[in-house]
Amino acid sequence: KKLNVNHPVRRILKPFMFGTVSANSFLLKLLKKHGIYHRAFGFEYNSFCLLMNDAMNAYKFRILKKRFKKLSRLPEKTCPAYHDFKAFWQVIEGFMAKYFEIYYGAAPEEERDDYDLNDDRELKQFYGDIVTTLKIDPKFRFKRFNLVMLITHFICTVTAYNKHLNEAFTFDTVFKAKLFYPRHSYSTPSNCGCAVRATSHADKACESDMTSLTHW
């Protein structure tokens, strides 16, 4: 709300945040008394609300890149999620760094010399609101590096979770995607981690399914 409709940061985030309000609204409906979440848990509704409040209060912001780092201990063949995510993060981070150069010029050696960025009051207010809302440590002050890192985090977060929570499946579970961790020791790159590791059979099946959906 701090950025005007033509602000470059708002425009770059819009494709990734599109539908967020309606999605959050739908989640609230699921959390209502006698809603699907309430019926799925063995709690009375008051206790269920306490559980949700505890979960929100326990939230601690952490850059997604650091959350994935713990997966680096696992062999890539067993769990390729970390290596896939690292490569994706680097692409988005590099893109955002260049995007900022277009609108704010090349990053100077000294922060105080980043005049165009430091003069952007809307961006400062936007960053300040995020720091407050997500309870980010104030030591991460307003500067280009932190802005690029934060926006990269948002883009990678919505992309990764949308990918895994809205995974495409066919009747024979062609992707067999697992959410980050493989469930079995015999998991192979073709049936764990990101869907980009799908087998050629899976690719063909998915392509066939998408063609059918398009015709439908």
Side-chain angles (χ1 to χ4, degrees):
K1 65 181 180 180
K2 299 297 183 180
L3 304 176
N4 70 74
V5 293
N6 289 317
H7 194 283
V9 171
R10 179 167 178 166
R11 284 190 283 143
I12 194 64
L13 285 175
K14 186 173 182 179
F16 299 95
M17 301 303 171
F18 181 80
T20 301
V21 175
S22 59
N24 290 342
S25 177
F26 180 67
L27 176 61
L28 291 177
K29 293 180 181 178
L30 296 178
L31 295 175
K32 286 184 176 180
K33 191 172 185 178
H34 305 306
I36 187 170
Y37 281 9
H38 178 209
R39 298 198 305 272
F41 284 91
F43 294 90
E44 293 184 352
Y45 191 64
N46 288 339
S47 298
F48 175 70
C49 290
L50 290 174
L51 175 66
M52 293 295 103
N53 285 328
D54 286 345
M56 289 187 288
N57 292 332
Y59 171 79
K60 184 177 181 180
F61 176 83
R62 192 180 182 191
I63 287 292
L64 192 61
K65 183 180 180 180
K66 294 183 178 180
R67 291 185 181 275
F68 266 85
K69 192 173 182 179
K70 63 183 180 180
L71 297 178
S72 63
R73 299 190 298 267
L74 298 175
E76 182 177 3
K77 184 176 180 180
T78 304
C79 184
Y82 167 74
H83 302 278
D84 290 347
F85 174 79
K86 182 180 178 181
F88 179 65
W89 176 281
Q90 291 174 342
V91 170
I92 299 301
E93 185 179 22
F95 171 80
M96 285 310 309
K98 292 179 180 178
Y99 186 81
F100 267 72
E101 287 182 5
I102 294 174
Y103 292 95
Y104 298 101
E109 293 184 4
E110 297 292 335
E111 293 177 28
R112 62 176 179 269
D113 295 333
D114 207 349
Y115 299 117
D116 290 341
L117 185 75
N118 292 328
D119 288 342
D120 192 331
R121 294 183 179 181
E122 291 185 4
L123 192 57
K124 281 186 175 180
Q125 292 177 337
F126 169 77
Y127 184 81
D129 272 10
I130 291 177
V131 168
T132 301
T133 302
L134 298 183
K135 301 177 183 178
I136 299 176
D137 194 321
K139 71 178 182 181
F140 297 106
R141 63 188 185 280
F142 178 85
K143 63 178 183 178
R144 184 181 299 227
F145 176 83
N146 290 338
L147 279 163
V148 170
M149 186 70 66
L150 190 63
I151 295 174
T152 300
H153 165 84
F154 288 149
I155 292 176
C156 289
T157 297
V158 297
T159 304
Y161 279 93
N162 180 68
K163 177 63 182 174
H164 284 284
L165 298 181
N166 297 290
E167 185 58 90
F169 289 95
T170 61
F171 290 106
D172 61 345
T173 61
V174 294
F175 283 122
K176 300 180 182 177
K178 306 294 187 291
L179 184 55
F180 308 139
Y181 282 106
R183 293 185 179 180
H184 307 291
S185 59
Y186 55 80
S187 294
T188 64
S190 64
N191 63 8
C192 70
C194 299
V196 294
R197 301 303 180 101
T199 61
S200 57
H201 168 71
D203 295 335
K204 292 179 180 178
C206 181
E207 183 178 355
S208 175
D209 287 348
M210 293 305 293
T211 301
S212 299
L213 287 172
T214 303
H215 288 309
W216 183 84

